[in-house]
Amino acid sequence: MSVPFFDMGRHLAPIRDSVVQAVARVVDEGDFILGSDVADLEARVARLVGAAGGVGVSSGTDALLVAMMALGIGPGDEVVTTPFTFFATAGAAIRLGARVRFVDIEPDTFNLDIARAIDATTPATRAVVPVHLFGHMADLKPLLAWAGRPGVAVVEDAAQAIGASCPLGMAGGLGTCGTFSFFPSKNLGGIGDGGLVTSSSEALLDRVRLMRNHGARPKYHHEVVGGNFRLDTIQAAVLLAMLPRLESWTRRRRALARRYATLFEQSGLTRDRTVVLPVQRPGFRHVYNQYVIRVRDRDGLAAWLKQHGVGYAIYYPEPLHLQPCFADLGLRQGSLPNAEAACREVLAIPIFPELKDSEQDEVVGRVVEFYRR
Ligand SMILES: Cc1ncc(COP(=O)(O)O)c(C=O)c1O
């Protein structure tokens, strides 16, 4: 049996009609740019994550970029973040002329090590950007206590974590602002690109709204230099049609994660740490945008899974601090060992709401076969 890493057709089939209807309605209304669906989605997502408001934008990448623009981050500023994330997290800061200070991760959650992040700040630090990687929130508590320091923003990169929570609250609802992605494979994924910035600062939201539309207010009068970071009405309408399903999708992801844990524990592979399972800290709600295990001989296992038709992905094969475009930072192999080890050892196995138990059995069976053969 082959098992897909993600099956878009299967995911969309039960909601195809409501998605098509949403698109048709917007086509009929013709209100394609910042139509009322955008404001509806902004309000719904903000309420969901416990923020005062939201601003829909063109992608998760642009959510980070426009949030940092609105915070006034630019040349001479520093942004502290993790090297074990999608490129956009760091790319946004660099594009604004800021310097990125990469800090190592926690080996178990793969998230930014907050104590080290605080240690790494300097008087030039304008933002710390924790990423709620794979759907498990970074430990914001010490950061929020510390970030009471004026002038240092906490930008939560919640692209992979809509619906995730920690004892303090929900992803994207706690920091100075939160950024989300609606890339199709995200837990709330549209039929194209999309993103959103949340915040509880009305002033910051207003600034993001201004920046999203070329800094124009009123039209053709430009207070500041912004860009076109608008979310399409069609995308907002589709996301609104999907939003009522998000909680049941998340529950299914979490049920699959529990089942993976049981199956791997029964296999014996976790006992000697041949396979290390993702952790969920007490009081945290992991939403498993990805189910990422850490394994011995990762590349061997990946080749074996490929040979047997089991989908997998490697998030991420190379840490950001060793990418050619960041060579000027002077970091080397060994500089951030936890992130580097994660890049060598992690493997994401299939988890999406429509994955069948029988397919999960096949995934675990193939992994067990590889180590027992
Ligand atoms: C952690 C993280 N940040 C930012 C992004 C960027 O989002 P988008 O692909 O919507 O631009 C992604 C998406 O892949 C992500 O996973």
Side-chain angles (χ1 to χ4, degrees):
M1 182 205 292
S2 69
V3 183
F5 183 66
F6 180 67
D7 187 334
M8 185 57 81
R10 231 195 275 176
H11 181 57
L12 286 183
I15 52 166
R16 189 182 178 282
D17 289 351
S18 49
V19 166
V20 171
Q21 273 165 26
V23 172
R25 177 177 53 76
V26 177
V27 169
D28 290 342
E29 289 169 359
D31 201 3
F32 301 124
I33 303 297
L34 296 181
S36 62
D37 291 280
V38 176
D40 285 355
L41 181 75
E42 292 170 346
R44 296 273 291 275
V45 173
R47 197 172 333 124
L48 175 77
V49 309
V55 182
V57 295
S58 29
S59 66
T61 299
D62 285 344
L64 285 158
L65 184 67
V66 73
M68 290 186 200
M69 287 170 76
L71 288 164
I73 290 169
D77 295 335
E78 270 181 12
V79 171
V80 174
T81 194
T82 164
F84 191 60
T85 176
F86 180 63
F87 183 80
T89 315
I94 301 291
R95 288 168 67 187
L96 295 175
R99 184 183 160 84
V100 168
R101 202 171 269 271
F102 288 115
V103 169
D104 213 353
I105 59 168
E106 302 173 334
D108 58 346
T109 63
F110 305 113
N111 279 326
L112 179 66
D113 183 325
I114 298 295
R116 287 188 210 215
I118 292 173
D119 272 354
T121 59
T122 71
T125 304
R126 290 291 310 283
V128 179
V129 187
V131 179
H132 304 315
L133 203 68
F134 308 140
H136 189 288
M137 285 184 72
D139 185 13
L140 294 186
K141 197 173 174 186
L143 184 60
L144 293 173
W146 172 86
R149 210 175 87 181
V152 182
V154 173
V155 178
E156 294 177 64
D157 183 342
Q160 303 181 5
I162 192 163
S165 65
C166 69
L168 294 180
M170 294 190 76
L174 296 171
T176 312
C177 59
T179 64
F180 291 88
S181 163
F182 303 125
F183 186 82
S185 63
K186 297 295 192 265
N187 284 20
L188 180 65
I191 56 167
D193 280 307
L196 199 118
V197 179
T198 51
S199 179
S200 288
S201 159
E202 293 293 353
L204 184 60
L205 290 167
D206 187 60
R207 191 105 181 138
V208 172
R209 217 168 271 123
L210 184 66
M211 294 280 190
R212 165 177 76 174
N213 205 11
H214 285 298
R217 187 179 286 158
K219 208 171 180 183
Y220 306 125
H221 175 79
H222 300 270
E223 280 180 35
V224 290
V225 177
N228 175 357
F229 302 122
R230 297 181 300 253
L231 177 66
D232 286 337
T233 310
I234 283 186
Q235 213 52 251
V238 167
L239 291 162
L240 280 169
M242 292 176 169
L243 198 53
R245 306 256 178 166
L246 178 62
E247 182 54 27
S248 63
W249 286 338
T250 302
R251 287 201 187 137
R252 175 64 184 154
R253 285 177 184 272
R254 287 174 52 77
L256 287 165
R258 278 193 297 275
R259 198 162 177 279
Y260 264 138
T262 305
L263 293 171
F264 277 118
E265 274 153 19
Q266 284 168 354
S267 78
L269 290 176
T270 54
R271 219 166 300 134
D272 63 355
R273 295 178 72 78
T274 298
V275 172
V276 179
L277 302 177
V279 299
Q280 178 177 249
R281 291 263 165 89
F284 283 63
R285 185 184 199 232
H286 199 322
V287 295
Y288 299 100
N289 178 240
Q290 300 299 343
Y291 192 86
V292 177
I293 55 177
R294 196 190 263 276
V295 293
R296 265 201 285 122
D297 186 13
R298 190 268 314 273
D299 294 340
L301 175 60
W304 174 262
L305 293 178
K306 187 168 184 186
Q307 187 189 330
H308 291 90
V310 172
Y312 67 87
I314 294 170
Y315 304 119
Y316 295 90
E318 251 185 282
L320 294 186
H321 67 283
L322 300 180
Q323 300 283 345
C325 65
F326 294 133
D328 61 318
L329 295 178
L331 296 169
R332 314 236 169 286
Q333 196 79 41
S335 298
L336 301 171
N338 293 342
E340 292 161 26
C343 290
R344 288 190 299 270
E345 296 167 2
V346 291
L347 189 82
I349 52 178
I351 193 161
F352 56 96
E354 299 73 27
L355 185 72
K356 298 179 194 127
D357 289 2
S358 57
E359 292 175 319
Q360 218 183 359
D361 294 342
E362 172 77 9
V363 175
V364 177
R366 290 297 184 191
V367 173
V368 172
E369 216 173 74
F370 174 73
Y371 290 108
R372 296 272 180 269
R373 81 200 192 286

